Amino acid sequence: MNTEKISSIGWQRNYWIGIVASGLVVVGTGVVFYQRFALPEQLAITKPLTVSVISLTPVNSYNITRYYTGEVVATRRTDLGFERAGKVIEVLYDRGQVVEAGAVIARLDTQNLQAQLSQLEAQRLRALAQLQELQNGSRREVIASARSQVSDLENQLRLANTRSQRRESLYKEGAVSKEQFEEVAFSRDALSDRLAAAQSQLEEVQNGARIEQINAQSAAVAQIEASILDLEITIAKSNLTAPFRGVIGERNLDEGSVAQAGQAIVRLVESANPELEIGVPFSVVSTLTVGSNQTVEIGDHAYTATVIAIKPETNLQTRTSTVVLKLQNFSQATNKSNNKIANLAMPKSGEIARLKVSQTEQIQGFWLPTTALSRGERGLWSCFVIARDGDAYRVEKRDVEVLHTEGDRVLVRGTISANEEVVSSGTQRLVNGQMVTK
């Protein structure tokens, strides 16, 4: 064996000895690292975790508060207009101004109506004078004249009778013709007829007007007075007055415009005692009674309102019934954020209002804090129940269904029983079967 071959074998042996020595160093270092770091962690995992628990108490019902939305409405709201057409000469109020009941809001031109009224007044005075004349009868002068005429005709008739007698004697003696005799007789008969007519006229004058004439004239006076009253009403209606106290919402016409009959001049909205109209389901309507007090919320404030009516009609769009409420004292409301009483202005028509209704739901379950739940499978939730295992406890995962949420707690039911203890928080650190202490 030559020297070069021996030297090569020695070098290879030293090389492998070095590799083995390096491996032993690495293994030793790993053992030391594992003993120093991994072993304490394993010991920490196996130590039971301390948890807080609550005991399950069954419930058969729970109270739920629901809100139903409506709006504030004015008790009365109307578009005011004139009953006749005419020229608007004055509008006394503008939008937003308060109007007292009976106050004149606008006026129409009434010059032509005033002229017609003057004409009717003159006709009335003439008709009244005629009626008074009929009621008083003829004057003494008229009666004396009629009596004098009767007396004159009586004298003429006596003279005519005397002449007729003379002519009759002369006619029998043949001194006058028959024609002359008949002429005197005819004049006598004519005077007799005139005397009868004059006597009838005298009697009429003395007796006064007939009751039928007086009644007819009275009716004529009443007809004129009715026309005057109708015209006065028309003139009065030329002043547009407020039927109730309210606020001008809209002003549609100004001075100089010609208004048509019934055309809206202004819109008047009642400014007192606002009402609320809120649609609620039929199941809730049955729990509300007329006269009961309810809590309503408008903006950030809560009010007390009284149910004054439940409309019989059904809203075809929402399939709800409308409940009408009246605020008891709109100036005293409770702020929802700090529960303090605040003096407020009247809620305005159109504001959103919410009716607060508390109801009792009959259902069996258990109340749990929301921190006791963890998300499960298939849309369910899970909680952890502890069961004794020697000196410690073992957690068991149970599926539950959430029935109702109320703040930081939930009502659930599922594979849990009364008096079992459920982990109330820290469920993210637990796994099924883990050992814990409480």
Side-chain angles (χ1 to χ4, degrees):
M1 182 178 299
N2 56 33
T3 304
E4 293 181 357
K5 186 174 182 181
I6 293 173
S7 179
S8 176
I9 293 173
W11 178 85
Q12 291 179 0
R13 182 180 57 194
N14 292 335
Y15 173 77
W16 287 108
I17 290 173
I19 291 178
V20 171
S22 298
L24 292 175
V25 171
V26 171
V27 171
T29 303
V31 170
V32 172
F33 179 83
Y34 176 79
Q35 290 177 348
R36 183 174 181 178
F37 295 100
L39 186 57
E41 183 178 357
Q42 183 180 7
L43 294 175
I45 293 177
T46 58
K47 182 180 179 179
L49 180 68
T50 301
V51 295
S52 59
V53 297
I54 59 171
S55 180
L56 293 178
T57 302
V59 295
N60 296 322
S61 63
Y62 67 94
N63 293 327
I64 183 172
T65 300
R66 291 190 173 95
Y67 292 88
Y68 302 98
T69 303
E71 65 175 343
V72 179
V73 297
T75 305
R76 288 179 288 184
R77 176 176 51 192
T78 181
D79 292 327
L80 299 178
F82 294 102
E83 295 184 19
R84 71 176 186 92
K87 181 181 178 180
V88 179
I89 61 173
E90 192 173 16
V91 180
L92 302 173
Y93 292 89
D94 205 347
R95 290 170 294 184
Q97 291 184 313
V98 178
V99 182
E100 298 295 335
V104 176
I105 298 175
R107 291 189 176 94
L108 290 180
D109 183 14
T110 60
Q111 294 182 18
N112 60 332
L113 297 179
Q114 294 291 349
Q116 295 178 27
L117 182 61
S118 299
Q119 182 179 5
L120 287 174
E121 287 286 359
Q123 294 178 6
R124 176 177 174 272
L125 292 175
R126 183 177 63 183
L128 280 174
Q130 293 174 350
L131 176 62
Q132 187 175 8
E133 181 181 4
L134 291 175
Q135 291 174 339
N136 294 336
S138 301
R139 294 178 298 174
R140 289 191 302 272
E141 294 83 359
V142 176
I143 296 175
S145 176
R147 185 179 291 113
S148 175
Q149 186 177 4
V150 170
S151 178
D152 181 60
L153 289 174
E154 287 177 343
N155 292 333
Q156 291 184 33
L157 183 59
R158 282 194 297 269
L159 179 59
N161 286 331
T162 302
R163 292 179 62 188
S164 179
Q165 292 174 359
R166 290 176 183 175
R167 286 290 178 95
E168 185 178 2
S169 299
L170 292 174
Y171 174 68
K172 289 180 179 181
E173 295 177 357
V176 296
S177 63
K178 183 177 180 181
E179 181 179 357
Q180 292 176 325
F181 169 70
E182 290 178 349
E183 181 180 354
V184 174
F186 178 78
S187 296
R188 183 197 60 190
D189 294 340
L191 284 172
S192 178
D193 293 338
R194 289 173 59 191
L195 176 60
Q199 290 175 337
S200 177
Q201 185 177 1
L202 175 61
E203 182 179 0
E204 181 180 355
V205 171
Q206 289 176 335
N207 293 335
R210 295 177 58 184
I211 188 65
E212 292 85 353
Q213 291 177 310
I214 295 176
N215 291 339
Q217 190 62 27
S218 298
V221 172
Q223 183 178 8
I224 296 175
E225 289 178 342
S227 299
I228 292 175
L229 179 61
D230 178 68
L231 195 57
E232 289 175 343
I233 293 174
T234 302
I235 293 174
K237 289 185 176 181
S238 297
N239 294 331
L240 187 63
T241 58
F244 50 84
R245 186 179 189 275
V247 178
I248 300 297
E250 295 291 339
R251 175 172 167 171
N252 301 319
L253 290 181
D254 296 319
E255 293 83 355
S257 302
V258 177
Q260 301 300 319
Q263 183 179 1
I265 306 300
V266 296
R267 172 173 292 176
L268 185 64
V269 180
E270 189 173 31
S271 57
N273 298 324
E275 295 180 353
L276 313 175
E277 291 189 358
I278 299 177
V280 298
F282 300 113
S283 58
V284 178
V285 170
S286 60
T287 64
L288 302 176
T289 57
V290 175
S292 62
N293 293 333
Q294 305 294 329
T295 300
V296 295
E297 296 180 357
I298 303 174
D300 294 331
H301 295 85
Y303 301 79
T304 299
T306 302
V307 178
I308 61 174
I310 299 176
K311 292 186 178 181
E313 301 88 354
T314 300
N315 189 315
L316 299 180
Q317 295 180 346
T318 61
R319 294 296 176 180
T320 59
S321 183
T322 301
V323 177
V324 183
L325 305 99
K326 182 179 291 291
L327 297 180
Q328 290 186 355
N329 188 358
F330 61 82
S331 62
Q332 297 291 323
T334 303
N335 192 302
K336 294 189 296 182
S337 60
N338 55 23
N339 292 325
K340 292 183 178 180
I341 301 298
N343 293 322
L344 302 177
M346 180 194 67
K348 296 181 179 180
S349 177
E351 285 193 72
I352 300 300
R354 298 198 306 163
L355 173 63
K356 181 179 179 181
V357 179
S358 296
Q359 295 175 276
T360 300
E361 297 288 342
Q362 301 295 330
I363 194 169
Q364 294 182 345
F366 303 90
W367 285 108
L368 290 177
T370 55
T371 55
L373 296 182
S374 60
R375 187 170 297 278
E377 299 178 355
R378 299 184 299 276
L380 296 176
W381 293 85
S382 299
C383 65
F384 291 95
V385 176
I386 64 172
R388 180 169 290 279
D389 188 353
D391 295 334
Y393 295 89
R394 186 180 302 277
V395 296
E396 297 178 3
K397 189 175 183 180
R398 305 283 183 85
D399 291 332
V400 294
E401 176 188 2
V402 175
L403 303 175
H404 174 65
T405 302
E406 185 178 285
D408 58 354
R409 65 174 187 168
V410 290
L411 184 67
V412 300
R413 65 183 176 187
T415 57
I416 53 179
S417 304
N419 300 322
E420 286 187 314
E421 294 182 321
V422 176
V423 178
S424 60
S425 62
T427 56
Q428 73 278 2
R429 298 178 300 169
L430 302 178
V431 295
N432 191 26
Q434 182 177 342
M435 300 299 295
V436 297
T437 62
K438 63 175 182 176

